[in-house]
Amino acid sequence: ELMTGYTMLRNGGVGNGGQPWVLRWSSRIRLTWLSFTLFIILVFFPLIAHYYLTTIDDADDAGKRIFGPRTGSELCEVKHVQDLCRIRESVSEELLQLEAKRQELNSEIAKLNLKIEACKKSIENAKQDLLQLKNVISQTEHSYKELMAQNQPKLSLPIRLLPDKDDVTFPLPKSIRNCRLHNCFDYSRCPLTSGFPVYVYNSDDYPFGSSLDPLIKQAFEATVRTNVYVTENANIACVYIILVGEMQEPVMPKPTELEQQLHSLPYWRTDGHNHLIINLSRKSETQNFIYNISTGRAMIAQSTFYDAQYRPGFDIVVSPLVHAMSEPNFLEIPPQVPVKRKYLFSFQGEKIESLRSSLQEVRSFEEEIEGNAPADYDDRIITTLKAVQDSKLDFVLVEFTCKNQPKASLPTEWALCGERDDRLELLKLSTFALIITPGDTHLVISAGCAMRLFEALEVGAIPVVLGEQVQLPYNDVIRWNEAALIIPKPRITEVHFLLRSISDNDLLAMRRQGRFLWETYFSTSDNVFSTVLAIIRTRIQIPAAPIREETAVEIPHRSGKAAGTDPNMADNGDLDLGPVETEPPYASPKYLRNFTLTAMDIYRNWNSAPGPFHLFPYTPFDPVLPSEAKFLGSGTGFRPIGGGTGGSGKEFQAALGGNVPREQFTVVMLTYEREEVLMNSLERLNGLPYLNKVVVVWNSPKLPSEDLLWPDIGVPIMVVRTEKNSLNNRFLPWDEIETEAILSIDDDAHLRHDEIMFGFRVWREARDRIVGFPGRYHAWDIPHQSWLYNSNYSCELSMVLTGAAFFHKYYAYLYSYVMPQAIRDMVDEYINCEDIAMNFLVSHLTRKPPIKVTSRWTFRCPGCPQALSHDDSHFHERHKCINFFVKVYGYMPLLYTQFRVDSVLFKTRLPHDKTKCFKFI
């Protein structure tokens, strides 16, 4: 082998495979040595180092330690390490504080958990108590209903007077003149709670319908369509009405034919009970063809009656229907002043004895006329009146012969002379108008006399009726002695003396009352038909239907913005305005008419309201019983001295007291696209005592901004959308107004709470008046002979602007539904004068001026945009409005006053031991 290796070395170290042996051997040696060296370094070197270091740290000289631990003070000697130490100490302190807070919060959480558990138990107890209270309330309500049921009479249909089925053998009264409500009217069809339904036959369905006067038929049908009592259901009707006249002469049916047609009506029931036959007259020519017809138990309403035909308390004397399809033209009606006119009295007429009429042809009831006719005073009347005219003590015009052909008339009746326009011109110049009744005393009323009465009332001539036996239209519900003079014919020689002795005040009162009667009961077809229905309804003692209210269409709006407190509103000095806590909204009690009221007031009249309106609180469609117009909630109770809640100074300020100790008012605010001004005004109402709600009348077709946030003032805010932009919307009787008191206020009015509260208190003492802040007055312009509107500062006033005033909701009904439409049209034309119109209305009805409170003369907020009242044409339009309103009313209804109410009692401090006293200011 050695040889082999030697040989291989000699041969250049090339062995098998061509690789030198020496190189392979040296490579193995180097690899082994390198591995051993690395093992020694990695194992023994760390051991030696560890031993060495351990030996050094164990040395006795602590100062020679190099790798041993050092104290904190030694480490902090280094400057940058000191900062780290301070941070460590601060963090440690904070951690300690957080730990303390954590422990404290844990304890509070534990306490709150205990409170939560206690609250849960309290809620459960409260729920149990609430459930018990609900049960108690339910039991109380049930007991209350039982007590009410025990104390209230049970309502049921009245006892039937007639059989259910048609009974031909049912006897009629012995004489047709004996027919009255108690024996000819079926009350069972008219319960007190029925609402008085009326069914009207269609005249065109019957042959006589073609003979009717077209104008009368058209006016009657138009009136029926709008009447609140008319029903199409004949099965529930209380009264059935059929129109039979006025008929045209050439095509008038025979009496027997008309009688058969009436008896064939589907609901006639053999005798016509609960039927009303209406015979209207548009002309003075009388057509009393019903006199010759058997009408059974049916009532009759017409303008001509003989005493053998007329049944008092059952039949109705109606006025002639002159203005069939037209409204009165107020510009053509003469004013009521001056009181004295050119002629003291006047008369034009001609008596024709030989004139034939339907009454002459057939007199089927002549056998019922008993006694001889009285002496004819017509000759004596003619002689006396001519003597007065010849004496020339007064201007008198009497003519007993017509210049032209006289109008047709009944025997012994004075025929009308000339055309209607000519007669009216004469009456406009006459203080009194003589009306001579027919010489035949059995003719209790004729169409000619009714026409004379109509024309006299229309132009303001006071009627003087000669003949006390006459039955004037609607005489059982109208006190004619307040508007006319009814004198027996034997006193003809004293007539001149009597007419001269009447004072101017009495003359003006009678003329105003006559104007009221004419416009309320005579002027239009609506008035005539409504009056006839109201008379029947009043006779059978059924209350009138409630008047409608305007349905408020609410505009959705977002609320929730907290209303701020205006410093000007909060600064009330030392005045206590009301309760500390604002009461929730409290509506005024609804006015429910007592069923006995109708029977009580049949023969009463409201003397203080001689105006052209239906004076009913909620039923202007029924122009009967003006005395029903009573202001609601005025209170008639009596309190002992010192017994009220507002006796002393402090209690007076904290409570309303009086006869209505609990009451609120509604703010009605008219606005037009002034959102910022409106929001500011609403915010000023925040916290106002006794405020029920705010009705914002949005008078613009453009709706409020969707992102507008309305203030939360503690009471509801109702935003009402209107059909058109009209200032009349301010006085609409919205159904959302649930209080009697209304505070009408502009959106830019700036009033303090104490001023509003004081005005409310004053209004409660004068509920029939307008009570407000800015006063104005009217004045007579001598050079131009017209009225002027004046807004200058003055101690005398006749108007209070409704931009800041209290009034009763009753007047909202009258303004919107009853006041002449011509006034509202002018308000819309000028976009002005609605406040003047309301003052005219209230002063006309009450004959009292408004009441001004405080010395404030303006109420506009500072910095607000200018209103329409700042326009130069504003005052010119108001001048025109006043003069136009005077023409409509016929006189100037506004009254002057120097009375003003200031808040003296609010500042009166009375000791508690002095409560039993009165203080008059």
Side-chain angles (χ1 to χ4, degrees):
E1 293 177 357
L2 290 174
M3 285 298 295
T4 301
Y6 174 79
T7 302
M8 294 173 62
L9 180 64
R10 188 183 61 181
N11 290 333
V14 178
N16 296 332
Q19 185 177 21
W21 178 89
V22 177
L23 293 176
R24 293 197 304 270
W25 184 80
S26 60
S27 298
R28 294 177 179 174
I29 294 175
R30 285 196 301 270
L31 181 60
T32 303
W33 173 250
L34 181 61
S35 300
F36 178 79
T37 302
L38 290 175
F39 176 78
I40 293 299
I41 292 173
L42 293 176
V43 174
F44 290 98
F45 182 77
L47 294 176
I48 295 172
H50 181 269
Y51 175 78
Y52 177 75
L53 293 175
T54 304
T55 304
I56 293 176
D57 290 338
D58 291 341
D60 295 336
D61 190 1
K64 294 181 180 181
R65 297 178 187 176
I66 298 175
F67 301 100
R70 296 177 181 271
T71 62
S73 60
E74 292 176 345
L75 294 175
C76 292
E77 292 178 357
V78 185
K79 185 175 182 181
H80 68 279
V81 177
Q82 292 178 355
D83 296 335
L84 297 176
C85 292
R86 285 193 295 271
I87 294 173
R88 186 188 67 178
E89 293 176 355
S90 176
V91 171
S92 299
E93 291 179 359
E94 290 181 358
L95 290 175
L96 293 175
Q97 293 177 359
L98 290 175
E99 178 64 21
K101 289 183 179 180
R102 186 184 67 82
Q103 295 178 357
E104 182 179 355
L105 290 176
N106 287 334
S107 62
E108 290 182 359
I109 290 173
K111 293 179 181 179
L112 291 176
N113 289 331
L114 294 176
K115 290 183 179 180
I116 290 174
E117 294 297 330
C119 290
K120 289 182 179 179
K121 293 180 180 179
S122 300
I123 291 173
E124 292 297 331
N125 295 333
K127 289 182 179 179
Q128 294 295 330
D129 295 340
L130 179 60
L131 182 60
Q132 294 178 0
L133 288 175
K134 288 182 178 180
N135 293 333
V136 172
I137 292 173
S138 178
Q139 294 176 1
T140 305
E141 290 179 350
H142 182 70
S143 301
Y144 174 76
K145 291 180 181 179
E146 289 182 349
L147 291 175
M148 293 296 294
Q150 293 175 3
N151 295 327
Q152 285 185 347
K154 294 182 180 180
L155 294 179
S156 61
L157 292 177
I159 301 175
R160 293 190 63 86
L161 300 179
L162 301 176
D164 293 334
K165 298 181 179 180
D166 296 344
D167 188 356
V168 181
T169 62
F170 189 78
L172 290 170
K174 293 182 179 181
S175 172
I176 199 65
R177 295 185 59 186
N178 297 330
C179 219
R180 299 294 186 270
L181 289 176
H182 68 275
N183 59 2
C184 289
F185 190 85
D186 184 5
Y187 279 88
S188 64
R189 299 200 61 86
C190 309
L192 294 176
T193 57
S194 64
F196 191 59
V198 175
Y199 179 79
V200 181
Y201 291 99
N202 186 0
S203 301
D204 293 334
D205 296 339
Y206 305 97
F208 64 84
S210 59
S211 303
L212 295 176
D213 186 300
L215 287 179
I216 287 184
K217 183 168 67 173
Q218 185 179 359
F220 183 78
E221 292 174 351
T223 300
V224 167
R225 285 194 297 267
T226 59
N227 194 273
V228 295
Y229 296 108
V230 175
T231 179
E232 296 181 357
N233 187 357
N235 296 323
I236 66 171
C238 169
V239 175
Y240 301 85
I241 297 178
I242 182 67
L243 178 68
V244 299
E246 181 178 46
M247 289 191 177
Q248 296 173 320
E249 289 285 350
V251 292
M252 183 184 300
K254 296 180 180 180
T256 55
E257 296 176 354
L258 181 60
E259 181 177 326
Q260 292 177 357
Q261 295 175 24
L262 291 177
H263 291 183
S264 64
L265 293 175
Y267 303 100
W268 187 260
R269 296 186 180 92
T270 70
D271 57 7
H273 62 270
N274 289 47
H275 275 66
L276 174 66
I277 301 174
I278 298 182
N279 179 21
L280 298 177
S281 176
R282 191 168 61 90
K283 305 175 183 177
S284 60
E285 293 85 351
T286 304
Q287 300 179 20
N288 190 12
F289 51 85
I290 300 180
Y291 185 86
N292 303 312
I293 295 175
S294 176
T295 57
R297 287 185 167 92
M299 297 173 285
I300 300 174
Q302 61 181 9
S303 300
T304 301
F305 279 102
Y306 267 78
D307 59 356
Q309 178 188 16
Y310 179 67
R311 297 162 293 185
F314 194 74
D315 295 326
I316 303 174
V317 179
V318 300
S319 62
L321 187 59
V322 178
H323 301 288
M325 293 299 297
S326 62
E327 294 290 334
N329 188 351
F330 295 102
L331 299 180
E332 296 180 358
I333 299 177
Q336 299 184 26
V337 289
V339 178
K340 299 290 182 63
R341 297 178 177 177
K342 177 179 180 181
Y343 299 111
L344 177 64
F345 63 84
S346 64
F347 177 81
Q348 286 181 327
E350 184 172 344
K351 191 173 182 179
I352 303 176
E353 298 286 353
S354 60
L355 187 65
R356 298 187 61 189
S357 68
S358 60
L359 286 179
Q360 289 177 295
E361 296 176 1
V362 182
R363 297 289 295 272
S364 61
F365 297 116
E366 286 182 347
E367 66 276 5
E368 298 184 14
I369 301 177
E370 300 176 356
N372 297 323
D376 191 352
Y377 291 96
D378 289 354
D379 294 338
R380 186 184 304 177
I381 291 173
I382 295 174
T383 303
T384 303
L385 295 181
K386 285 185 176 180
V388 173
Q389 185 178 20
D390 296 338
S391 66
K392 297 183 180 180
L393 294 176
D394 296 290
F395 284 104
V396 173
L397 191 150
V398 289
E399 296 178 354
F400 301 104
T401 303
C402 297
K403 298 178 181 179
N404 299 321
Q405 183 67 25
K407 303 295 182 181
S409 62
L410 293 175
T412 72
E413 182 185 18
W414 289 91
L416 293 172
C417 294
E419 299 299 327
R420 168 177 158 80
D421 293 339
D422 298 332
R423 296 195 301 269
L424 292 180
E425 290 300 323
L426 175 61
L427 292 174
K428 290 178 182 179
L429 302 175
S430 305
T431 305
F432 296 95
L434 294 184
I435 301 175
I436 305 176
T437 60
D440 185 358
T441 57
H442 297 296
L443 185 61
V444 295
I445 184 64
S446 65
C449 289
M451 183 65 69
R452 290 181 182 272
L453 179 67
F454 181 96
E455 294 176 350
L457 295 176
E458 181 178 5
V459 297
I462 300 174
V464 179
V465 182
L466 296 178
E468 78 284 1
Q469 81 282 357
V470 68
Q471 298 290 335
L472 296 180
Y474 320 124
N475 61 316
D476 54 346
V477 293
I478 293 180
R479 299 180 63 177
W480 279 106
N481 59 348
E482 297 177 356
L485 295 174
I486 303 176
I487 304 174
K489 286 184 177 180
R491 294 191 180 276
I492 182 60
T493 57
E494 302 173 310
V495 167
H496 187 206
F497 167 78
L498 179 62
L499 299 184
R500 297 187 68 185
S501 64
I502 300 177
S503 64
D504 290 352
N505 290 335
D506 293 338
L507 288 176
L508 184 58
M510 296 180 70
R511 183 172 294 164
R512 269 205 299 268
Q513 183 67 9
R515 174 76 174 269
F516 161 71
L517 296 178
W518 180 79
E519 294 190 2
T520 305
Y521 307 132
F522 293 72
S523 58
T524 65
S525 58
D526 287 340
N527 293 342
V528 173
F529 185 66
S530 298
T531 302
V532 171
L533 293 186
I535 290 176
I536 300 176
R537 179 188 56 77
T538 304
R539 286 175 177 176
I540 61 178
Q541 302 179 359
I542 294 182
I547 191 174
R548 67 181 179 91
E549 292 185 309
E550 287 293 324
T551 302
V553 180
E554 184 178 8
I555 299 177
H557 61 281
R558 294 190 305 159
S559 60
K561 174 184 175 183
T565 302
D566 191 338
N568 295 327
M569 299 295 103
D571 184 15
N572 296 319
D574 57 349
L575 301 181
D576 297 326
L577 301 177
V580 178
E581 297 182 358
T582 304
E583 288 186 330
Y586 171 76
S588 298
K590 295 294 184 181
Y591 179 63
L592 300 178
R593 174 174 293 167
N594 191 309
F595 287 105
T596 61
L597 181 62
T598 307
M600 290 167 52
D601 288 353
I602 287 181
Y603 297 102
R604 297 174 58 188
N605 204 337
W606 193 15
N607 299 332
S608 62
F613 310 129
H614 312 302
L615 303 178
F616 310 94
Y618 299 102
T619 52
F621 303 101
D622 294 316
V624 178
L625 305 184
S627 59
E628 294 180 12
K630 299 172 182 177
F631 295 98
L632 314 180
S634 58
T636 57
F638 173 77
R639 291 180 180 272
I641 297 177
T645 58
S648 64
K650 182 177 181 181
E651 288 80 2
F652 174 79
Q653 298 167 15
L656 288 176
N659 296 312
V660 187
R662 188 183 183 192
E663 189 173 17
Q664 295 178 343
F665 61 90
T666 302
V667 168
V668 177
M669 186 177 295
L670 189 72
T671 186
Y672 186 89
E673 296 183 4
R674 297 200 296 181
E675 295 180 354
E676 182 179 358
V677 175
L678 175 63
M679 295 302 106
N680 294 334
S681 297
L682 292 176
E683 288 187 3
R684 286 194 292 269
L685 299 177
N686 184 31
L688 180 61
Y690 306 116
L691 178 60
N692 181 271
K693 71 173 61 171
V694 178
V695 177
V696 177
V697 181
W698 191 264
N699 220 23
S700 170
K702 180 182 177 182
L703 298 180
S705 303
E706 295 182 358
D707 57 348
L708 182 63
L709 193 60
W710 296 69
D712 182 5
I713 60 175
V715 298
I717 297 179
M718 173 68 67
V719 185
V720 178
R721 184 175 185 175
T722 58
E723 296 181 356
K724 64 176 182 178
N725 178 20
S726 173
L727 293 180
N728 293 314
N729 296 332
R730 178 196 297 273
F731 301 125
L732 285 174
W734 302 104
D735 56 357
E736 289 295 331
I737 302 176
E738 301 177 320
T739 61
E740 297 176 10
I742 295 177
L743 172 58
S744 174
I745 191 169
D746 288 342
D747 58 358
D748 58 354
H750 194 274
L751 296 174
R752 299 194 312 269
H753 285 188
D754 62 309
E755 294 175 323
I756 296 176
M757 280 305 306
F758 179 66
F760 179 50
R761 289 177 176 270
V762 174
W763 176 85
R764 283 166 45 84
E765 302 296 329
R767 307 172 76 91
D768 60 338
R769 314 271 283 275
I770 297 178
V771 177
F773 300 89
R776 301 292 186 265
Y777 66 95
H778 66 288
W780 179 250
D781 184 7
I782 297 178
H784 298 88
Q785 293 293 296
S786 63
W787 294 101
L788 296 177
Y789 171 84
N790 202 313
S791 63
N792 296 332
Y793 290 89
S794 173
C795 294
E796 193 168 62
L797 60 102
S798 59
M799 293 175 283
V800 167
L801 301 187
T802 55
F806 286 92
F807 62 89
H808 201 288
K809 188 180 179 180
Y810 170 72
Y811 293 123
Y813 294 103
L814 296 182
Y815 184 98
S816 302
Y817 302 145
V818 181
M819 189 178 68
Q821 182 63 36
I823 296 179
R824 293 189 293 271
D825 292 341
M826 191 168 195
V827 171
D828 288 336
E829 178 183 355
Y830 286 154
I831 316 179
N832 198 345
C833 307
E834 85 285 357
D835 47 0
I836 301 178
M838 178 59 81
N839 278 271
F840 265 70
L841 172 66
V842 177
S843 295
H844 171 69
L845 295 177
T846 62
R847 304 305 303 135
K848 298 176 184 178
I851 296 178
K852 173 177 169 54
V853 294
T854 74
S855 59
R856 180 186 287 268
W857 201 259
T858 60
F859 54 85
R860 302 295 180 188
C861 62
C864 292
Q866 286 190 351
L868 295 175
S869 58
H870 294 276
D871 191 357
D872 293 337
S873 62
H874 177 76
F875 285 95
H876 297 288
E877 294 172 350
R878 294 174 84 82
H879 299 330
K880 296 179 181 178
C881 287
I882 287 184
N883 288 281
F884 178 77
F885 296 165
V886 169
K887 291 181 180 179
V888 173
Y889 283 91
Y891 74 111
M892 169 55 74
L894 299 179
L895 300 173
Y896 293 106
T897 180
Q898 296 180 352
F899 178 75
R900 192 185 81 191
V901 184
D902 288 319
S903 55
V904 177
L905 280 178
F906 276 100
K907 299 181 180 180
T908 302
R909 296 293 185 267
L910 301 178
H912 293 285
D913 58 346
K914 301 295 185 181
T915 57
K916 294 185 178 181
C917 64
F918 290 109
K919 185 175 183 64
F920 298 95
I921 302 298

